[in-house]
Amino acid sequence: MSVLADVLARSRAEHRSALIGYLPVGYPDVPTSIDAMIAMVAGGADIIEVGVPYSDPGMDGPAIQAAVDPAVKAGVGLRDVFAAVSAVRAAGAVPVVMSYWNPLEKYGVGRFAADLAAAGGAGAITPDLIPEEAGQWIAATDVHDLDRVFLLAPSSTDARILSTVAASRGFVYAASTMGVTGVRAAVSDAATTLVSRIRRLAPEIAVCVGLGVSNADQAAEVAAFSDGVIVGSAFVRCLLDSPDAAGAKAAGTLAAELAEGVRRR
Amino acid sequence: MTTTPDSFSYPDSTGHFGPYGGRFVPEALVAALDEIEAEFTKAQADPAFAAELSRLLRDYAGRPSPLSDAERFSEHAGGARVLLKREDLNHTGSHKINNVLGQALLTKRLGKSRIIAETGAGQHGVATATAAALLGLSCTVYMGAEDTRRQALNVARMKLLGADVVPVTTGSRTLKDAINEAFRDWVANVEDTHYLFGTAAGPHPIPLMVREFHRVIGQEARAQVLERVGRLPDVVAACVGGGSNAIGIFYDFIPDAGVRLVGLEAAGDGVETGRHAATITGGSPGVLHGARSYLLQDENGQTIESHSISAGLDYPGVGPEHSWLHDTGRAEYRPITDAQAMAAFALLCKTEGIIPAIESSHALAGALDLGKELGPDAVILVNLSGRGDKDVETASTYFGLAAGDLESGDPVAGDPA
């Protein structure tokens, strides 16, 4: 039983990909970031990645770090993240937390899983946690019936694709280029190759693709070969350009454009 | 705890030192880390690799480094006999060259043409740029924008050696952010690029590999002390930032249960002030830069900025093997404030004619305390990990030597302990 797998299956039944939007909690402040997430849901995002601000986001590019640094300085923590999770859930989309590992470990892995489940979260994406280090997390997510999303990369071997899929629940996150997050002009060929390798080796799991999508055409392109299109930096850019209610509204408008993209046939 | 043969065989096959170490990295780096591990394992078993590295360490870096009896300095250390392992006399002026030559040779074996590195004080950056020039590799060094300002001389040295120096303006603009930036470069360019990490931290196999390349310090020093003194030292003292020089000199003494291993951490203004870099003394276990270890973090798991007069120790993390040696009790870690370190710095200048790196001055300050605790029969081996040429400006400012007259600062008059 997986909340994320269910919503992805529903999208597939509608012959489309799901739209997955990322925003970190707390930029420019907690209420505005939550408003932006709600606007993204209204615009058509199926899943919201609720980002935990972290001081050393080694996998993220300049846009996300620029938004996250002030949130870290302001002391935004998991209590704020759970509030955002509940708000997204109330708005009608599926919330999944996106976090580097240390904030979760510091909070307590079991306690985090319990509180996330209580807030209505579907699970978490952990970009710097590989299954080999995830024993505690796998146990805690089993106890609380949460999804756990691990990443795959173009450099992943067949053996690692199989072992990572076996450890994952909900979907696997295909990092479509070698590199950090950020808006890119073109969708990488590496993405299609990676997704087809995963499909061949593990046809049972949903595959969502992230890193680089910023407009409806790119969303349509990625939607053609994936179960979900993940968009992060482009939403963050809306708030960086306008760190206020107008920025939150712009994130909603972008979501509507992208939602049209993932529905193109 | 008593030392068992087992404590000599860490990390385990998955890169763990007890609960520490491991790999907390994006999946995109796992293949590269596996590749490094496989090639490093092959290289260690290859006599040709060992011969080439030994040749470079001898003919290029100047090894073995000497062991100096610090007779006049010892008078201030309770009369204990202080022996200095002179890593400051290596080419490029610190122990860093040991690891850099090893990893640069490994880069060639990996078929990669580019190395990247992070640097704080600039010592690792200079060493990396040096090895890149020697072996014909292209080189990019990431350095916090704050540090490029504080260490302008080393920036110029790296550029003269042909490296690109990229000032890092994200986050706290210091070493930890330079590491983040180097990881980002590596993820994007891993096909042709090796990240030549400068300390015994980071994801497996980096702590293992860096330790093995620095083990030569302890191997030489152990034999030199036995030959000079006729017995093992009572204490081995080394400064600990990330911990590469310390693990290098400690490692071959681990089975010698009678030898105390003491790491000296940078306590900045004092651990109680919160402005320090004493990760083990003042931090707690967590995950940073690819491994679990002690780190300075707040209640949300955010990294806290460290503070030290020594740019090379100004880091909020520490290598995982040190966390393990601490928890098992095999090594002890003590804080040394900026003031203690600078007093020891001045004392060594005046008593031995050696200007030490401020990093290494933390180990010297620790030796002064340990000598007083143990008395005149004690033998204390100190890793003098680097020379202080790069620190002359910092020291001049600290001691108020506007006219360049060391007497006017009279630093030795203060209590060096």
Side-chain angles (χ1 to χ4, degrees):
Chain A
M1 173 62 209
S2 156
V3 176
L4 289 172
D6 280 356
V7 68
L8 292 166
R10 275 203 303 277
S11 298
R12 203 176 336 187
E14 294 170 12
H15 305 288
R16 66 175 179 94
S17 277
L19 174 61
I20 303 170
Y22 161 91
L23 265 191
V25 177
Y27 183 81
D29 51 53
V30 173
T32 307
S33 64
I34 293 177
D35 287 349
M37 291 177 195
I38 292 170
M40 286 155 64
V41 175
D46 303 284
I47 297 168
I48 299 291
E49 283 183 20
V50 179
V52 177
Y54 179 52
S55 52
D56 295 273
M59 220 192 134
D60 286 307
I64 289 177
Q65 179 147 24
V68 157
D69 280 347
V72 168
K73 284 204 177 69
V76 173
L78 285 171
R79 196 188 321 177
D80 304 301
V81 169
F82 297 134
V85 164
S86 296
V88 168
R89 186 60 177 262
V94 174
V96 58
V97 164
M98 170 79 146
S99 184
Y100 288 88
W101 185 243
N102 199 51
L104 307 190
E105 181 162 307
K106 180 69 180 172
Y107 190 80
V109 176
R111 179 181 168 216
F112 169 75
D115 290 356
L116 176 61
I125 303 168
T126 49
D128 62 346
L129 185 71
I130 57 175
E132 290 92 323
E133 300 286 354
Q136 261 193 302
W137 174 235
I138 289 171
T141 44
D142 281 346
V143 168
H144 295 283
D145 214 8
L146 292 168
D147 287 336
R148 49 180 182 256
V149 176
F150 295 105
L151 275 65
L152 287 168
S155 59
S156 302
T157 59
D158 286 359
R160 287 196 64 80
I161 289 176
L162 285 168
S163 60
T164 301
V165 167
S168 300
R169 185 163 55 214
F171 65 88
V172 288
Y173 186 130
S176 63
T177 58
M178 294 297 284
V180 297
T181 57
V183 169
R184 287 179 174 78
V187 172
S188 141
D189 284 347
T192 50
T193 307
L194 174 60
V195 172
S196 60
R197 287 177 62 216
I198 300 170
R199 296 255 194 249
R200 179 169 51 79
L201 291 162
E204 68 283 3
I205 194 141
V207 183
C208 299
V209 173
L211 298 179
V213 169
S214 61
N215 60 45
D217 288 347
Q218 288 176 334
E221 201 180 330
V222 173
F225 63 90
S226 69
D227 297 297
V229 178
I230 301 168
V231 181
S233 299
F235 284 119
V236 173
R237 179 57 61 197
C238 294
L239 285 169
L240 287 170
D241 289 346
S242 180
D244 50 26
K249 194 175 162 214
T253 306
L254 176 62
E257 285 171 36
L258 296 166
E260 179 272 314
V262 301
R263 284 170 171 78
R264 272 188 217 162
R265 299 293 302 274
Chain B
M1 82 155 215
T2 54
T3 301
T4 64
D6 281 353
S7 49
F8 206 52
S9 60
Y10 283 90
D12 64 18
S13 62
T14 57
H16 294 88
F17 303 85
Y20 302 111
R23 280 182 182 170
F24 293 82
V25 293
E27 170 66 21
L29 291 179
V30 170
L33 292 167
D34 281 343
E35 184 188 21
I36 291 168
E37 187 180 5
E39 195 61 44
F40 174 67
T41 304
K42 274 201 301 190
Q44 272 189 309
D46 179 357
F49 182 83
E52 176 67 354
L53 181 56
S54 295
R55 186 187 67 78
L56 286 177
L57 289 174
R58 182 188 67 232
D59 298 345
Y60 186 72
R63 301 206 73 90
S65 64
L67 186 74
S68 299
D69 254 287
E71 287 179 25
R72 286 184 6 93
F73 183 82
S74 293
E75 292 168 16
H76 299 262
R81 185 172 182 183
V82 176
L83 296 164
L84 305 177
K85 179 59 175 166
R86 299 294 304 280
E87 293 297 298
D88 61 315
L89 294 178
N90 295 335
H91 181 45
T92 73
S94 80
H95 72 292
K96 294 289 186 191
I97 195 75
N98 306 323
N99 167 51
V100 158
L101 288 174
Q103 285 201 50
L105 285 179
L106 197 73
T107 304
K108 304 268 282 197
R109 285 180 70 112
L110 288 164
K112 297 185 175 183
S113 57
R114 176 174 179 259
I115 51 182
I116 57 173
E118 82 295 342
T119 197
Q123 291 304 89
H124 175 58
V126 167
T128 303
T130 299
L134 178 69
L135 297 176
L137 300 163
S138 85
C139 178
T140 301
V141 178
Y142 291 92
M143 189 169 185
E146 274 303 305
D147 294 331
T148 58
R149 195 181 48 73
R150 290 194 287 198
Q151 303 284 342
L153 179 67
N154 272 341
V155 173
R157 289 171 80 194
M158 288 183 268
K159 287 182 174 168
L160 286 170
L161 292 161
D164 287 327
V165 180
V166 180
V168 173
T169 55
T170 50
S172 62
R173 305 154 71 97
T174 59
L175 177 58
K176 84 172 177 69
D177 305 284
I179 293 174
N180 292 336
E181 218 46 57
F183 268 113
R184 288 172 179 141
D185 181 320
W186 198 29
V187 175
N189 300 297
V190 67
E191 214 136 279
D192 71 341
T193 298
H194 176 62
Y195 180 7
L196 207 162
F197 205 65
T199 193
H204 179 65
I206 296 173
L208 164 67
M209 180 168 63
V210 174
R211 179 191 78 199
E212 290 300 312
F213 287 138
H214 282 308
R215 261 181 87 174
V216 64
I217 306 171
Q219 286 167 340
E220 285 177 7
R222 192 173 180 281
Q224 287 168 320
V225 174
L226 279 173
E227 193 201 348
R228 181 85 51 91
V229 186
R231 67 173 179 90
L232 290 170
D234 298 290
V235 180
V236 179
C239 65
V240 177
S244 65
N245 89 83
I247 203 67
I249 199 165
F250 285 176
Y251 195 66
D252 277 67
F253 289 99
I254 289 177
D256 300 320
V259 178
R260 280 171 69 184
L261 307 176
V262 182
L264 290 313
E265 298 195 294
D269 293 343
V271 173
E272 70 289 351
T273 66
R275 291 178 49 82
H276 65 87
T279 308
I280 291 176
T281 308
S284 57
V287 169
L288 176 66
H289 293 148
R292 184 179 290 114
S293 195
Y294 279 76
L295 68 128
L296 303 180
Q297 57 181 330
D298 70 12
E299 70 282 3
N300 289 327
Q302 311 292 355
T303 312
I304 294 173
E305 284 176 33
S306 55
H307 293 275
S308 169
I309 192 168
S310 153
L313 303 182
D314 198 354
Y315 178 58
V318 67
E321 191 159 12
H322 287 294
S323 294
W324 177 235
L325 291 172
H326 167 75
D327 281 13
T328 59
R330 180 61 191 96
E332 52 197 292
Y333 295 84
R334 297 179 167 199
I336 295 291
T337 64
D338 287 354
Q340 287 175 289
M342 292 312 290
F345 172 98
L347 185 64
L348 195 77
C349 291
K350 287 200 155 185
T351 57
E352 299 293 337
I354 298 170
I355 301 178
I358 297 176
E359 289 79 11
S360 319
S361 301
H362 289 71
L364 293 165
L368 292 172
D369 287 347
L370 286 157
K372 287 171 195 154
E373 291 163 28
L374 298 174
D377 294 335
V379 174
I380 300 173
L381 171 64
V382 176
N383 197 11
L384 195 67
S385 56
R387 69 177 182 230
D389 305 44
K390 68 184 175 59
D391 295 318
V392 166
E393 194 178 321
T394 303
S396 299
T397 305
Y398 183 86
F399 292 122
L401 307 182
D405 176 7
L406 199 58
E407 286 304 318
S408 69
D410 199 20
V412 177
D415 180 3

